[in-house]
Amino acid sequence: PFDGRSDREYNLTVENVSVFGQIDYDLADDIILTAGLRYSKDTKNINWVAFFSSDQQAERIPYAATESNLNVEAASIFNRFADDSIDYSDYAARLSLKKQFSDSTMGFVSWNRGIKGGNWTLSSGVSPERFRHEPEVLNSFEVGIKTELTKGTRLNATTYYYDYDDYQTFVAIPPGEVSPNPQIGNSDATAYGAELELISSLTDNVDMMLGLAFSHSEVEAIQAGASPVLNAQFPNAPSVSGNYLFRYYKELGENTVVFQFDGAYYGDQFLEVTNGPGTLQEAYNISNLSVTYETESWSFSVWSKNLFDERYKAYSLDLGALGATTYYAPSRTSAAVSSSHLPLPTS
């Protein structure tokens, strides 16, 4: 075996041609049909070369140099990498039906088909036959309603179902590997849930916004490590989450002072699709507070983000037997900011 290091160099060229259009058609005075279609063609080519080098060998030797005993094993791997081009075309589409039930209530049902092109993942330690990942196709179905409950109070509600064909998964450890080697693969996946949003002007001086979301997701099989991960959850997809905002306005002569308290709650969630235990983030709440004084020409704000100094993970990468590497979000941050609203000079 060769005692040294390998380097990989590649050049990727991408061309895309797309044609799209959309129409809205009134089936009746209170029913609108929307239809959209997009045709997309991807042409991708990759030139990939790998080299050996070491302290004893100053010149870098290409893997393709099969005559060298030094490179026989590496060359056999390289020669299996024949899939160096992608010529792919597909379509995205939208079909929706909106009905105006009354002046204050509208309902809709929709189907959307989304596409994401395939590509290559050129990670050190991943064999060439596993470089390429396939295109992803999403069929999304939604049903919703938007209504004004009372003057100044609106309610939006939506349910959805997502069906993924070849959902693209990012993992750090390909099959059979021990050291971290980032790779993108494919797996079928589904998700469904519901979202509620309430927006209200409680008084002339007080606004409120409340949101609540429920979600369930499942990725069938993810190749990560020695064995696949089955029935995993989507990353960053808690089963329950919510957001809130309260804003109070007070006029002081010709000026205004605004108090705002807002934030979000997230239930337990995994931060990577492998659902490794080190990437679990337990439920947490983040709140923010701000006070702003505004005049016609300037404003002054004092604010505090992550008001209660919640400690939570912003990003985590599963490294298998090595555990996980994690980046934590900033702690409480406070500041005072002033800005001018003076108009720019004109010439």
Side-chain angles (χ1 to χ4, degrees), residues 205-209 244-250 257-263 287-294 301-305 307:
N205 302 92
V206 179
D207 292 338
M208 177 188 73
M209 185 187 310
Y244 48 90
L245 182 148
F246 300 92
R247 184 183 294 124
Y248 172 75
Y249 305 85
K250 178 66 175 177
V257 61
V258 181
F259 300 87
Q260 180 169 307
F261 179 73
D262 63 84
S287 297
N288 312 302
L289 180 65
S290 68
V291 180
T292 302
Y293 183 78
E294 295 181 338
S301 297
V302 178
W303 52 259
S304 182
K305 297 181 179 180
L307 180 64

Side-chain angles (χ1 to χ4, degrees), residues 300-335:
F300 178 78
S301 297
V302 178
W303 52 259
S304 182
K305 297 181 179 180
N306 192 3
L307 180 64
F308 302 114
D309 205 19
E310 185 78 24
R311 179 173 170 82
Y312 64 98
K313 301 174 183 178
Y315 175 79
S316 190
L317 185 64
D318 183 16
L319 302 180
L322 301 178
T325 180
T326 297
Y327 169 75
Y328 282 86
S331 56
R332 179 173 55 235
T333 305
S334 302

Side-chain angles (χ1 to χ4, degrees), residues 10 36 39 62-64 76 83 92 118 137 141-142 183 216 219 232 241 244 263 275 281-282 300 314 331:
Y10 66 91
Y39 172 81
Y63 276 14
S76 66
D83 192 10
V137 177
F141 305 89
E142 297 185 6
Q183 181 184 10
H216 175 84
V219 185
S241 61
Y244 48 90
N275 290 185
Q281 171 58 58
E282 296 182 348
F300 178 78
S331 56

Side-chain angles (χ1 to χ4, degrees), residues 49 55 64 90 96 136 292 300 320 324-325 343 347:
V49 181
D55 294 339
D90 205 344
S96 71
E136 172 185 299
T292 302
F300 178 78
T325 180
S347 57

Side-chain angles (χ1 to χ4, degrees), residues 208-231:
M208 177 188 73
M209 185 187 310
L210 300 175
L212 186 62
F214 304 92
S215 175
H216 175 84
S217 59
E218 185 175 294
V219 185
E220 290 186 4
I222 304 154
Q223 293 296 329
S227 59
V229 176
L230 303 177
N231 302 324

